[in-house]
Amino acid sequence: MALRPVLRFPDKRLRRVSRPIGEIDESLRELARDMCDVMYEEPGIGLAAPQVDCDLRLIVVDTAWTAEDAERNPLILVNPELSEHEGKVVWTEGCLSVPEFEAEVERAERVLLRALDLDGKQLEIRAEGLQAVCFQHEVDHLDGVLFIDRISRLKRNRYVARRKKQRKREDEDESAAS
Ligand SMILES: [Zn+2]
């Protein structure tokens, strides 16, 4: 089965604010399964629904997974909300929607995440370190925020300029191929 394509910066659909999920039904379960497939295939440690062009408040996260170990225990989080931000940590982040770029981002070191699972059960997860960073990165996506919005203007502008050139080349390659 074909994977859902990941939207890439500067696609405007990444900037939408996603809608809360009212009902957990089969189509939502299917979306969650598809998102996990994309996350493991790319690979990444998290994915938010808007990255696959669905404006719903759904994220999947698996910070324990590595290609070598390959054990998959994704957290599927419906309507996630963060509170109790504590401490500060700087982590080098990347994003499947921001190709070929990484940068250091300052985030809270610890957060409390509340969400529903796919059975509608309330979850409460106290996260720290990489998992806390990943939760903050993915919940940002639901509000149309990318990690490049949280770095210095200088670094962001450099990336935006580089991405512009890259996209021009991609367009030229595409028109040459057709
Ligand atoms: Zn991302």
Side-chain angles (χ1 to χ4, degrees):
M1 198 199 72
L3 290 174
R4 293 188 193 226
V6 176
L7 301 182
R8 298 188 199 274
F9 178 84
D11 196 307
K12 287 196 166 55
R13 288 169 289 180
L14 291 166
R15 296 307 194 174
R16 290 180 300 195
V17 175
S18 293
R19 296 172 289 133
I21 292 163
E23 196 189 344
I24 299 169
D25 56 13
E26 192 45 44
S27 71
L28 189 77
R29 290 194 183 89
E30 193 182 308
L31 172 62
R33 275 196 298 273
D34 287 356
M35 284 169 58
C36 290
D37 287 347
V38 171
M39 174 174 71
Y40 291 118
E41 193 59 38
E42 285 281 349
I45 57 172
L47 193 76
Q51 293 181 272
V52 290
D53 198 16
C54 281
D55 61 338
L56 291 172
R57 301 191 81 82
L58 176 69
I59 64 174
V60 299
V61 170
D62 189 348
T63 49
W65 181 83
T66 59
E68 300 83 63
D69 176 13
E71 181 151 351
R72 298 177 173 190
N73 290 305
L75 279 170
I76 294 165
L77 303 165
V78 176
N79 296 336
E81 282 179 20
L82 297 173
S83 60
E84 299 186 23
H85 299 69
E86 284 174 11
K88 280 191 170 48
V89 67
V90 174
W91 216 282
T92 301
E93 296 186 25
C95 178
L96 298 177
S97 295
V98 182
E100 293 172 49
F101 186 64
E102 287 185 337
E104 290 188 335
V105 182
E106 189 182 286
R107 305 266 189 190
E109 191 179 6
R110 288 176 296 281
V111 291
L112 174 66
L113 177 136
R114 286 199 180 89
L116 300 177
D117 70 9
L118 281 181
D119 299 318
K121 205 178 79 192
Q122 182 78 46
L123 300 175
E124 270 199 16
I125 303 171
R126 281 193 189 279
E128 58 175 31
L130 178 60
Q131 192 182 48
V133 167
C134 191
F135 283 168
Q136 291 167 82
H137 178 119
E138 300 310 334
V139 172
D140 265 357
H141 275 298
L142 304 182
D143 296 320
V145 174
L146 300 173
F147 81 95
I148 51 173
D149 304 335
R150 298 192 180 278
I151 63 177
S152 74
R153 185 187 295 264
L154 180 71
K155 279 190 193 159
R156 182 170 56 249
N157 287 348
R158 270 198 212 134
Y159 174 70
V160 171
R162 182 149 64 82
R163 181 79 185 122
K164 218 179 210 170
K165 278 190 207 149
Q166 194 184 31
R167 300 219 331 139
K168 212 172 145 212
R169 272 200 310 274
E170 283 169 5
D171 287 349
E172 282 164 6
D173 289 350
E174 254 168 52
S175 49
S178 61

